[in-house]
Amino acid sequence: MTQTQIWILVAIIVVLAVVLGIVIATARSVKKSRRRAEQARQTNEQIAAARRKAAQSTAAHTGAQSRAQATAEQVTVGQAPADKTGTMETTPTTEAVSSAGPAVAKPESGASRGVRLRARLASSQSRFGKALFGILTRDHLSESDWEDLEDTLLLADVGADASERLVDALKKDARISGERDPKAVRQALRTRLLELVDAGHEDRSLVALRPGAQKKKPQVIIMVGVNGSGKTTTVGKLGRLLVAEGKSVLFAAADTFRAAAADQLATWANTSGIGLVRADHDGADPASVAYDAAQKAVADGTDVLLIDTAGRLQNKKNLMDELGKIRRVVEKVTPVDEVLLVLDATVGRNGTEQARVFAQAIGVTGVVLTKLDGSAKGGVVISVQDELGVPVKLVGLGEGPDDLAVFDPASFVDGLVGQDRAQ
């Protein structure tokens, strides 16, 4: 074989290698695209199911909650001032008196519910951790194994940027690359996940529960989120959590466009010993209700005012204008201390899209993730924090009145990797 033939053969081999590389890269890209498309399809199905469930829940509660409305004592509250966006109409409101409703149920303490919810979280989220652990304990991790790991993270809604950072960090970790000891691998995975979950969010406490919060009354918390996310239920549960911490609480039912919202909040108020300010008819001006509640909370020296708001994202511009108006009007009476965004964890990445809309409209200081159980994709905790730059402060893991607790990153990660905190 002549030298020319040898060079031709070498050139052919190089070209074939390049073509093969392009084919492999294309195949991997197609594989990822298909998985992401499947993820989007599953997410859309989950959103549709959540909306159906919310509609069924609203219908089921209507009868019981209308009876709670009938027990409310009527009180007329004063006229709100004109907002910059227009003149606000006077809205007669009613305050639900807890003694008129069912017997008040004593809320579970924060420490007790934290222990109970931590155990539930550990049992419900371990599937995600097991998938990661199963890949990382393979012998001689190949590039294909690392791609499987990244795909697993993406399917769990961790987010593309965060998934890439986690994979890069794990590749550089000697406990992953040089160890086959399962304990060492698990500890490395725990460390890297905790870095992602807890990055830059040292203080996750509610402003109303921080030392010195009692110096400013009321602490005002505005709750925002789309219909079906569990927002009004979360307002009720958060009220109970604050009562358990010794705080006096007042609800403002400023979601005046959903017929069952005020009735639902009245039920929570009556069973938890919490006051309520609401409009006397559907469709009333929500900012007026919030203003009246702020005045009453200041006059009574209430510790915390919780304001429930509408969540009609299909009317996005009107909704966002309304939320901005509520905040401006309340701040004519007292500053707003916290805006909590309630997200349904089961909708996955769509939750981060919702979060951006609300963050732009009213400013969000923290996130409450509801339905963070076996049907949720735990990675949404990471992606929401990563994209919004605000911490997840509270999580809900069940339907019980006290199934809401302060989010603990270490417990969450231990639940993911199936590790006891004592280890």
Side-chain angles (χ1 to χ4, degrees):
M1 183 179 290
T2 66
Q3 187 173 7
T4 301
Q5 290 173 323
I6 292 173
W7 280 112
I8 291 173
L9 182 60
V10 169
I12 291 172
I13 292 173
V14 170
V15 170
L16 288 174
V18 171
V19 171
L20 181 61
I22 293 173
V23 170
I24 292 174
T26 302
R28 287 174 177 171
S29 177
V30 170
K31 179 182 175 183
K32 283 189 177 182
S33 297
R34 286 176 177 172
R35 290 193 180 183
R36 288 177 180 175
E38 176 64 17
Q39 178 188 12
R41 184 188 65 78
Q42 293 175 355
T43 298
N44 289 334
E45 289 178 352
Q46 290 167 350
I47 293 171
R51 286 175 176 169
R52 288 194 299 270
K53 183 177 179 181
Q56 293 169 355
S57 176
T58 297
H61 283 294
T62 299
Q65 291 166 346
S66 61
R67 290 193 295 271
Q69 181 183 10
T71 63
E73 176 181 293
Q74 302 289 327
V75 293
T76 301
V77 194
Q79 183 174 2
D83 178 63
K84 293 179 182 178
T85 59
T87 302
M88 183 178 301
E89 62 188 43
T90 303
T91 306
T93 60
T94 65
E95 180 185 358
V97 181
S98 59
S99 60
V104 175
K106 183 179 180 181
E108 183 178 0
S109 70
S112 173
R113 69 175 71 198
V115 172
R116 181 170 54 81
L117 296 182
R118 186 158 52 242
R120 185 179 299 178
L121 183 63
S123 64
S124 64
Q125 293 292 333
S126 59
R127 287 178 298 176
F128 168 54
K130 285 178 180 177
L132 298 180
F133 186 66
I135 296 171
L136 292 173
T137 50
R138 295 173 185 171
D139 290 331
H140 309 295
L141 289 173
S142 66
E143 190 61 32
S144 177
D145 292 327
W146 288 112
E147 288 180 1
D148 287 345
L149 182 68
E150 188 170 355
D151 288 344
T152 300
L153 293 169
L154 289 171
L155 290 171
D157 288 324
V158 171
D161 292 341
S163 296
E164 186 176 348
R165 292 202 305 273
L166 178 58
V167 169
D168 288 344
L170 289 171
K171 282 182 177 180
K172 297 173 184 176
D173 196 312
R175 291 170 294 183
I176 299 295
S177 59
E179 287 278 355
R180 294 276 65 84
D181 178 14
K183 288 186 177 179
V185 171
R186 192 183 299 276
Q187 185 57 40
L189 179 58
R190 180 188 186 277
T191 300
R192 299 305 180 184
L193 281 171
L194 190 57
E195 288 174 357
L196 274 183
V197 173
D198 209 23
H201 303 297
E202 292 80 8
D203 190 357
R204 295 174 182 273
S205 62
L206 294 172
V207 174
L209 295 179
R210 291 176 185 171
Q214 66 276 12
K215 295 179 181 178
K216 188 261 183 184
K217 293 185 179 182
Q219 294 285 324
V220 179
I221 303 175
I222 298 178
M223 306 291 287
V224 300
V226 301
N227 289 341
S229 63
K231 173 173 50 61
T232 300
T233 297
T234 299
V235 173
K237 291 182 179 182
L238 178 55
R240 287 180 60 81
L241 187 151
L242 292 168
V243 169
E245 297 296 327
K247 302 292 184 180
S248 58
V249 180
L250 178 65
F251 289 153
D255 182 357
T256 59
F257 293 91
R258 187 165 66 90
D263 296 339
Q264 185 179 354
L265 209 54
T267 300
W268 282 101
N270 288 334
T271 57
S272 304
I274 294 173
L276 172 68
V277 174
R278 59 177 295 177
D280 66 347
H281 63 280
D282 295 335
D285 185 0
S288 181
V289 176
Y291 175 80
D292 292 340
Q295 282 193 316
K296 179 168 178 55
V298 169
D300 294 348
T302 303
D303 292 325
V304 184
L305 170 61
L306 282 174
I307 303 175
D308 187 24
T309 61
R312 308 171 317 285
L313 196 58
Q314 63 270 25
N315 301 325
K316 185 168 67 174
K317 185 180 185 306
N318 291 341
L319 172 60
M320 299 307 145
D321 290 345
E322 176 188 294
L323 291 176
K325 182 179 179 182
I326 288 174
R327 178 163 192 157
R328 291 192 301 272
V329 167
V330 169
E331 288 185 333
K332 293 178 183 292
V333 181
T334 182
V336 172
D337 301 279
E338 189 120 62
V339 178
L340 296 180
L341 172 63
V342 181
L343 291 177
D344 180 346
T346 63
V347 305
R349 289 283 298 167
N350 275 27
T352 61
E353 299 300 325
Q354 297 173 10
R356 285 196 204 96
V357 173
F358 284 99
Q360 291 168 2
I362 193 171
V364 174
T365 60
V367 175
V368 183
L369 277 177
T370 64
K371 309 172 190 177
L372 191 63
D373 53 22
S375 61
K377 300 176 180 180
V380 70
V381 171
I382 298 171
S383 60
V384 165
Q385 293 186 151
D386 202 45
E387 297 197 25
L388 283 186
V390 298
V392 171
K393 293 195 171 189
L394 298 164
V395 290
L397 293 172
E399 300 298 326
D402 295 320
D403 286 345
L404 181 75
V406 174
F407 178 67
D408 179 12
S411 296
F412 174 75
V413 171
D414 288 340
L416 290 178
V417 301
Q419 177 168 305
D420 192 300
R421 291 187 72 171
Q423 291 181 343

